Structures are given as structure tokens and as C-alpha cells.
Amino acid sequence: MPMTAWTELAKDTGADLRLDRDTSNCSIARTLEIVGEKWTILILREVWYGSSRFGDFERVLGCPRNLLAARLRMLVAEGILATESYQEPGSRSRPKYVITPKGMDLVPAVMGLLQWGDRHAADPEGPAVLARHRECGAPVGVQIRCGEGHAVQAEDVESVPGPAFRLKLVG
Amino acid sequence: MPMTAWTELAKDTGADLRLDRDTSNCSIARTLEIVGEKWTILILREVWYGSSRFGDFERVLGCPRNLLAARLRMLVAEGILATESYQEPGSRSRPKYVITPKGMDLVPAVMGLLQWGDRHAADPEGPAVLARHRECGAPVGVQIRCGEGHAVQAEDVESVPGPAFRLKLVG
DNA sequence: GATCTGAGTTTACTTTTCGATACTTAGAAG
DNA sequence: CTTCTAAGTATCGAAAAGTAAACTCAGATC
């Protein structure tokens, strides 16, 4: 999906100056800034699988406590998780972590990673987890689709400059 | 999408032993092992946008040369990129990097990240890049779908133990 | 044969992130 | 008022990443 609209502009202009796409405004990079750190996606995976307490995450992930605390704090600050409290009988109330709608919106991206791993890096025994549609039981996956409702092959995706497209000078 | 099938098993058994899901076989984690390092996804983004040469990546990403070389080497070793050669008139032939089918299979995952960023971390000016269906021009995005063809809400995805599901003892 | 060029490699140094363990804290129970 | 517990903090050495510049290498040109 080459963006010919800018690769043409980005040619050498003869002098020492040269134009390139300005990649500072990129939604992929911005998303990775938030969820691209080590453990973050795996914490979300555990939330989807039903964990909610600090100790749950620590035990099942084996993640260092200080990193776990930092990641949880950040996910809450970003509005991806929210804290509620639970109270075990005979204990004081403690915080637990639940996913927000903003966090649920990450499911397609993570399911994309899951799907790729199942296809290209699977354990010979098969997947440890199967995702299926609650209503009909059929296995689920992610698909690229267009606004017209067509399923789209990755090769048929075309990337074009958007409203915030900019060029930058390099040299 | 809690997996009740194992959260029930994972209760304290009264003694000092306790069962937990064994997360060592996870397609998400395995995928992140390969593409979860810094720069890797951004390199792939540039490949999708039309870059193919070492110097292209270096200029547009601002990534250190040593890391760029390491990431490219790894992507080729994993079969996500492949090297071909190009020849500029008057120059010797040099290597360039092209995406493989295995690499194209990552598009849904990365498009998921893009979509989330556009929705939740967008620049006020809007996105720098728009993805659309080459045939009909309509904007594209990723969707969760089941084998029966239904669009599935993230909340309606149910995760159940697969063939390689294991429990582990923690204590 | 000297020079140019793009694609790396190497080196040396700083900064950031990771990982393991010890320590603290706030309330409930004895 | 001491103990117990889950949820954190604090600390510190190790590993990885970032930065910058010098160096190599192989062919094409001069």
C-alpha cells in the first residue's frame, strides 16, 4: 500500500534539500507510546481473561511488582483500566482493576496479535486459548473491512495522506 | 470474556498449593517476542507506506543505525521481511527490504493499533494517513468477526481453554 | 588507482528500563 | 497492641536502548 502521493513529492529536489514524510503525527506510534511497553499488553490480556487484582497479575504473569504497579498506574491514568474496590470477608477493602470501554477498544488490535501468533508462531500442541462468539460458538478473528461492508485483503488497502499530513525537510 | 472454566479450578485447594493458568504458551506473548521491540512495528509501518531501503528507514524514522540493522536482520530471519536487490543507474546493486506474506498477516494487528490511536489518541488536526479500500475508496478498519460471518462485539467474545491449555502449580 | 556512495559495523559513552528482593502500609482480627 | 495480609514502594545491580562518530566494504565512476 505505497503512498505514491508523497513518494513523488519526496524526491531529491536537486539541491541539498530533500522532503520526507513527517512521521511525528502517527496514530500507530502514539498507541505504542501508551501500550507498547513490556508487560502492558499482557496485563490487558489477563484482565480480559478475568484477573483483576494486583496479586493475580503478579502470580500469573511473573511480572516484577514495581513494573506491575507502574503499568497499572499508567493504564488507569490513560483511562484504559479503572479502579474499583472489592472486599474479601474478614479483610479490609482493596482496589481492583476493571477494563473501561476505551480498554475494550484495544481488543481488535490484541486479537490481531493473537491471530498472527496462532498462525505463524503456534505451539505444536495448538493454542492454549480459543476465542469464540458467545452467541453462536463459532471461532472469532479479526478482519479488515471497508465502510461499504466488503472484506478487504491487506494488499487492497491503500494509504492516502489525511488532514494532518505534513512533509518535512531533511538534509 | 472471563474464562470461568479455569478460574474455578484455580481456587485455593486448602493446603499451600494453588493452581493457576499456565501462561507460558500464549500466542500474544509469542508474537510480542518477535514484533514487540522498539522500532519493529514502525519499520513495518514504513514498509507498508513504501519504504524499502536502509537509508529510507533511517531518515524517516530517526532510528539509530545499529538498532535499525539489528531489527531488519531479525525481521528477515523471522521471514517477515525478505531482501531483494535494487540497482540505481550508475551504482552497484544494493539490498532492499520487501514484505512477505507472513509480514502482510500482521496488517490487521497494526491496523488495530492505528484504529485505536485514531479514536483515542488522535492529533486535533486529524490523522496523517487514511486507509481506504483500493476498489471502492471507502475507509477501512478492523472488525471482530466469527466464522458464521457475524460482526462480534468485543464483549461477546468468549475465551475457552484450547488443546494446549495447562494449569500450573504456584505456591 | 583514487574517489564516491549506500549499507552497514564498531566503539565508547550516557540514559533508560528491567528484574529481584527487601521494606512499608493500612486496616481487620486476635 | 501485636499479628496477618494484599498492595504497593524503595533500592540497586544488570541489561537494553539511545547517541554520536569513526570505520569498513564493495562495486561504479573518474
Side-chain angles (χ1 to χ4, degrees), chain A residues 100-126:
Chain A
T100 65
K102 187 172 172 181
M104 286 305 276
D105 280 347
L106 278 166
V107 172
V110 179
M111 195 169 288
L113 298 173
L114 172 67
Q115 185 169 295
W116 191 89
D118 280 347
R119 190 172 305 170
H120 295 289
D123 187 286
E125 291 183 78

mmCIF file of all heavy atoms in Angstrom, chain A residues 100-126:
data_model
loop_
_atom_site.group_PDB
_atom_site.id
_atom_site.type_symbol
_atom_site.label_atom_id
_atom_site.label_comp_id
_atom_site.label_asym_id
_atom_site.label_seq_id
_atom_site.Cartn_x
_atom_site.Cartn_y
_atom_site.Cartn_z
ATOM 1 N N THR A 100 -12.180 -0.503 30.958
ATOM 2 C CA THR A 100 -13.128 0.532 30.533
ATOM 3 C C THR A 100 -13.486 0.307 29.062
ATOM 4 O O THR A 100 -12.858 -0.503 28.381
ATOM 5 C CB THR A 100 -12.480 1.910 30.655
ATOM 6 O OG1 THR A 100 -11.401 1.969 29.726
ATOM 7 C CG2 THR A 100 -11.973 2.161 32.066
ATOM 8 N N PRO A 101 -14.460 1.047 28.544
ATOM 9 C CA PRO A 101 -14.753 0.960 27.100
ATOM 10 C C PRO A 101 -13.530 1.296 26.247
ATOM 11 O O PRO A 101 -13.270 0.645 25.227
ATOM 12 C CB PRO A 101 -15.860 1.996 26.922
ATOM 13 C CG PRO A 101 -16.536 2.070 28.247
ATOM 14 C CD PRO A 101 -15.449 1.869 29.264
ATOM 15 N N LYS A 102 -12.752 2.285 26.682
ATOM 16 C CA LYS A 102 -11.525 2.625 25.954
ATOM 17 C C LYS A 102 -10.568 1.439 25.913
ATOM 18 O O LYS A 102 -9.874 1.217 24.917
ATOM 19 C CB LYS A 102 -10.864 3.830 26.637
ATOM 20 C CG LYS A 102 -9.679 4.410 25.922
ATOM 21 C CD LYS A 102 -9.229 5.710 26.596
ATOM 22 C CE LYS A 102 -7.921 6.225 26.021
ATOM 23 N NZ LYS A 102 -7.465 7.470 26.696
ATOM 24 N N GLY A 103 -10.537 0.694 26.994
ATOM 25 C CA GLY A 103 -9.713 -0.508 27.024
ATOM 26 C C GLY A 103 -10.266 -1.601 26.124
ATOM 27 O O GLY A 103 -9.511 -2.282 25.427
ATOM 28 N N MET A 104 -11.592 -1.743 26.117
ATOM 29 C CA MET A 104 -12.203 -2.752 25.239
ATOM 30 C C MET A 104 -11.893 -2.467 23.772
ATOM 31 O O MET A 104 -11.827 -3.385 22.958
ATOM 32 C CB MET A 104 -13.715 -2.801 25.456
ATOM 33 C CG MET A 104 -14.140 -3.464 26.760
ATOM 34 S SD MET A 104 -13.501 -5.132 26.985
ATOM 35 C CE MET A 104 -14.695 -6.123 26.080
ATOM 36 N N ASP A 105 -11.713 -1.200 23.447
ATOM 37 C CA ASP A 105 -11.401 -0.857 22.056
ATOM 38 C C ASP A 105 -10.045 -1.384 21.614
ATOM 39 O O ASP A 105 -9.717 -1.335 20.426
ATOM 40 C CB ASP A 105 -11.457 0.658 21.863
ATOM 41 C CG ASP A 105 -12.888 1.159 21.706
ATOM 42 O OD1 ASP A 105 -13.792 0.327 21.506
ATOM 43 O OD2 ASP A 105 -13.097 2.384 21.773
ATOM 44 N N LEU A 106 -9.238 -1.854 22.572
ATOM 45 C CA LEU A 106 -7.951 -2.429 22.186
ATOM 46 C C LEU A 106 -8.070 -3.898 21.788
ATOM 47 O O LEU A 106 -7.134 -4.482 21.252
ATOM 48 C CB LEU A 106 -6.945 -2.293 23.335
ATOM 49 C CG LEU A 106 -6.251 -0.943 23.437
ATOM 50 C CD1 LEU A 106 -5.563 -0.796 24.786
ATOM 51 C CD2 LEU A 106 -5.217 -0.787 22.321
ATOM 52 N N VAL A 107 -9.223 -4.483 22.046
ATOM 53 C CA VAL A 107 -9.386 -5.911 21.768
ATOM 54 C C VAL A 107 -9.054 -6.273 20.315
ATOM 55 O O VAL A 107 -8.312 -7.233 20.077
ATOM 56 C CB VAL A 107 -10.793 -6.404 22.171
ATOM 57 C CG1 VAL A 107 -11.029 -7.824 21.696
ATOM 58 C CG2 VAL A 107 -10.963 -6.337 23.680
ATOM 59 N N PRO A 108 -9.547 -5.526 19.325
ATOM 60 C CA PRO A 108 -9.207 -5.924 17.950
ATOM 61 C C PRO A 108 -7.708 -5.953 17.687
ATOM 62 O O PRO A 108 -7.201 -6.880 17.035
ATOM 63 C CB PRO A 108 -9.896 -4.843 17.101
ATOM 64 C CG PRO A 108 -11.026 -4.371 17.940
ATOM 65 C CD PRO A 108 -10.509 -4.410 19.351
ATOM 66 N N ALA A 109 -6.978 -4.963 18.207
ATOM 67 C CA ALA A 109 -5.535 -4.943 17.988
ATOM 68 C C ALA A 109 -4.876 -6.166 18.617
ATOM 69 O O ALA A 109 -4.056 -6.845 17.986
ATOM 70 C CB ALA A 109 -4.929 -3.659 18.562
ATOM 71 N N VAL A 110 -5.252 -6.468 19.851
ATOM 72 C CA VAL A 110 -4.620 -7.596 20.533
ATOM 73 C C VAL A 110 -5.058 -8.913 19.909
ATOM 74 O O VAL A 110 -4.272 -9.854 19.799
ATOM 75 C CB VAL A 110 -4.932 -7.557 22.037
ATOM 76 C CG1 VAL A 110 -4.307 -8.744 22.731
ATOM 77 C CG2 VAL A 110 -4.422 -6.270 22.641
ATOM 78 N N MET A 111 -6.291 -8.955 19.447
ATOM 79 C CA MET A 111 -6.738 -10.169 18.780
ATOM 80 C C MET A 111 -5.973 -10.354 17.471
ATOM 81 O O MET A 111 -5.739 -11.491 17.035
ATOM 82 C CB MET A 111 -8.243 -10.115 18.539
ATOM 83 C CG MET A 111 -8.821 -11.460 18.197
ATOM 84 S SD MET A 111 -10.615 -11.461 18.235
ATOM 85 C CE MET A 111 -10.901 -11.358 19.983
ATOM 86 N N GLY A 112 -5.575 -9.276 16.863
ATOM 87 C CA GLY A 112 -4.729 -9.364 15.680
ATOM 88 C C GLY A 112 -3.387 -10.009 16.005
ATOM 89 O O GLY A 112 -2.887 -10.844 15.241
ATOM 90 N N LEU A 113 -2.812 -9.639 17.141
ATOM 91 C CA LEU A 113 -1.552 -10.258 17.562
ATOM 92 C C LEU A 113 -1.755 -11.739 17.851
ATOM 93 O O LEU A 113 -0.943 -12.588 17.470
ATOM 94 C CB LEU A 113 -1.016 -9.557 18.819
ATOM 95 C CG LEU A 113 -0.660 -8.073 18.674
ATOM 96 C CD1 LEU A 113 -0.310 -7.485 20.034
ATOM 97 C CD2 LEU A 113 0.481 -7.885 17.693
ATOM 98 N N LEU A 114 -2.854 -12.041 18.527
ATOM 99 C CA LEU A 114 -3.177 -13.434 18.846
ATOM 100 C C LEU A 114 -3.322 -14.274 17.579
ATOM 101 O O LEU A 114 -2.773 -15.368 17.462
ATOM 102 C CB LEU A 114 -4.484 -13.460 19.651
ATOM 103 C CG LEU A 114 -5.113 -14.824 19.924
ATOM 104 C CD1 LEU A 114 -4.238 -15.650 20.840
ATOM 105 C CD2 LEU A 114 -6.501 -14.663 20.540
ATOM 106 N N GLN A 115 -4.032 -13.721 16.628
ATOM 107 C CA GLN A 115 -4.290 -14.429 15.381
ATOM 108 C C GLN A 115 -2.983 -14.697 14.628
ATOM 109 O O GLN A 115 -2.765 -15.780 14.090
ATOM 110 C CB GLN A 115 -5.233 -13.556 14.550
ATOM 111 C CG GLN A 115 -5.725 -14.122 13.272
ATOM 112 C CD GLN A 115 -6.862 -13.246 12.714
ATOM 113 O OE1 GLN A 115 -7.938 -13.128 13.307
ATOM 114 N NE2 GLN A 115 -6.611 -12.602 11.596
ATOM 115 N N TRP A 116 -2.101 -13.679 14.617
ATOM 116 C CA TRP A 116 -0.822 -13.857 13.931
ATOM 117 C C TRP A 116 0.011 -14.926 14.625
ATOM 118 O O TRP A 116 0.610 -15.774 13.965
ATOM 119 C CB TRP A 116 -0.061 -12.531 13.879
ATOM 120 C CG TRP A 116 1.137 -12.571 12.979
ATOM 121 C CD1 TRP A 116 1.181 -12.299 11.645
ATOM 122 C CD2 TRP A 116 2.486 -12.922 13.353
ATOM 123 N NE1 TRP A 116 2.457 -12.444 11.168
ATOM 124 C CE2 TRP A 116 3.275 -12.833 12.187
ATOM 125 C CE3 TRP A 116 3.089 -13.299 14.546
ATOM 126 C CZ2 TRP A 116 4.646 -13.097 12.189
ATOM 127 C CZ3 TRP A 116 4.453 -13.578 14.546
ATOM 128 C CH2 TRP A 116 5.220 -13.476 13.377
ATOM 129 N N GLY A 117 0.032 -14.875 15.934
ATOM 130 C CA GLY A 117 0.784 -15.877 16.686
ATOM 131 C C GLY A 117 0.242 -17.276 16.465
ATOM 132 O O GLY A 117 0.997 -18.229 16.275
ATOM 133 N N ASP A 118 -1.077 -17.411 16.463
ATOM 134 C CA ASP A 118 -1.680 -18.724 16.218
ATOM 135 C C ASP A 118 -1.284 -19.243 14.838
ATOM 136 O O ASP A 118 -1.072 -20.438 14.645
ATOM 137 C CB ASP A 118 -3.213 -18.628 16.292
ATOM 138 C CG ASP A 118 -3.717 -18.632 17.733
ATOM 139 O OD1 ASP A 118 -2.923 -18.950 18.642
ATOM 140 O OD2 ASP A 118 -4.899 -18.316 17.949
ATOM 141 N N ARG A 119 -1.185 -18.324 13.876
ATOM 142 C CA ARG A 119 -0.906 -18.755 12.521
ATOM 143 C C ARG A 119 0.568 -19.021 12.274
ATOM 144 O O ARG A 119 0.941 -19.923 11.539
ATOM 145 C CB ARG A 119 -1.426 -17.689 11.543
ATOM 146 C CG ARG A 119 -1.413 -18.135 10.097
ATOM 147 C CD ARG A 119 -2.119 -17.127 9.200
ATOM 148 N NE ARG A 119 -3.483 -16.832 9.643
ATOM 149 C CZ ARG A 119 -4.221 -15.845 9.136
ATOM 150 N NH1 ARG A 119 -3.733 -15.064 8.194
ATOM 151 N NH2 ARG A 119 -5.448 -15.632 9.571
ATOM 152 N N HIS A 120 1.436 -18.173 12.883
ATOM 153 C CA HIS A 120 2.840 -18.209 12.479
ATOM 154 C C HIS A 120 3.820 -18.562 13.589
ATOM 155 O O HIS A 120 5.009 -18.700 13.336
ATOM 156 C CB HIS A 120 3.241 -16.850 11.894
ATOM 157 C CG HIS A 120 2.540 -16.514 10.630
ATOM 158 N ND1 HIS A 120 2.799 -17.160 9.448
ATOM 159 C CD2 HIS A 120 1.558 -15.622 10.355
ATOM 160 C CE1 HIS A 120 2.024 -16.670 8.493
ATOM 161 N NE2 HIS A 120 1.255 -15.734 9.015
ATOM 162 N N ALA A 121 3.352 -18.653 14.810
ATOM 163 C CA ALA A 121 4.284 -18.954 15.892
ATOM 164 C C ALA A 121 3.616 -19.860 16.907
ATOM 165 O O ALA A 121 3.873 -19.753 18.097
ATOM 166 C CB ALA A 121 4.765 -17.661 16.560
ATOM 167 N N ALA A 122 2.770 -20.754 16.409
ATOM 168 C CA ALA A 122 1.974 -21.558 17.335
ATOM 169 C C ALA A 122 2.780 -22.674 17.973
ATOM 170 O O ALA A 122 3.740 -23.180 17.395
ATOM 171 C CB ALA A 122 0.774 -22.148 16.608
ATOM 172 N N ASP A 123 2.374 -23.026 19.149
ATOM 173 C CA ASP A 123 2.866 -24.224 19.802
ATOM 174 C C ASP A 123 2.375 -25.423 19.002
ATOM 175 O O ASP A 123 1.242 -25.427 18.524
ATOM 176 C CB ASP A 123 2.291 -24.259 21.222
ATOM 177 C CG ASP A 123 2.871 -25.368 22.052
ATOM 178 O OD1 ASP A 123 2.512 -26.536 21.813
ATOM 179 O OD2 ASP A 123 3.668 -25.057 22.939
ATOM 180 N N PRO A 124 3.218 -26.453 18.845
ATOM 181 C CA PRO A 124 2.771 -27.630 18.082
ATOM 182 C C PRO A 124 1.484 -28.247 18.635
ATOM 183 O O PRO A 124 0.697 -28.832 17.886
ATOM 184 C CB PRO A 124 3.946 -28.603 18.210
ATOM 185 C CG PRO A 124 4.948 -27.979 19.111
ATOM 186 C CD PRO A 124 4.614 -26.535 19.243
ATOM 187 N N GLU A 125 1.270 -28.107 19.938
ATOM 188 C CA GLU A 125 0.054 -28.665 20.524
ATOM 189 C C GLU A 125 -1.198 -27.875 20.162
ATOM 190 O O GLU A 125 -2.307 -28.341 20.396
ATOM 191 C CB GLU A 125 0.170 -28.688 22.048
ATOM 192 C CG GLU A 125 1.175 -29.670 22.582
ATOM 193 C CD GLU A 125 1.153 -29.668 24.102
ATOM 194 O OE1 GLU A 125 0.248 -30.274 24.672
ATOM 195 O OE2 GLU A 125 2.037 -29.033 24.703
ATOM 196 N N GLY A 126 -0.991 -26.671 19.655
ATOM 197 C CA GLY A 126 -2.131 -25.818 19.348
ATOM 198 C C GLY A 126 -2.220 -24.680 20.335
ATOM 199 O O GLY A 126 -1.380 -24.533 21.207
#
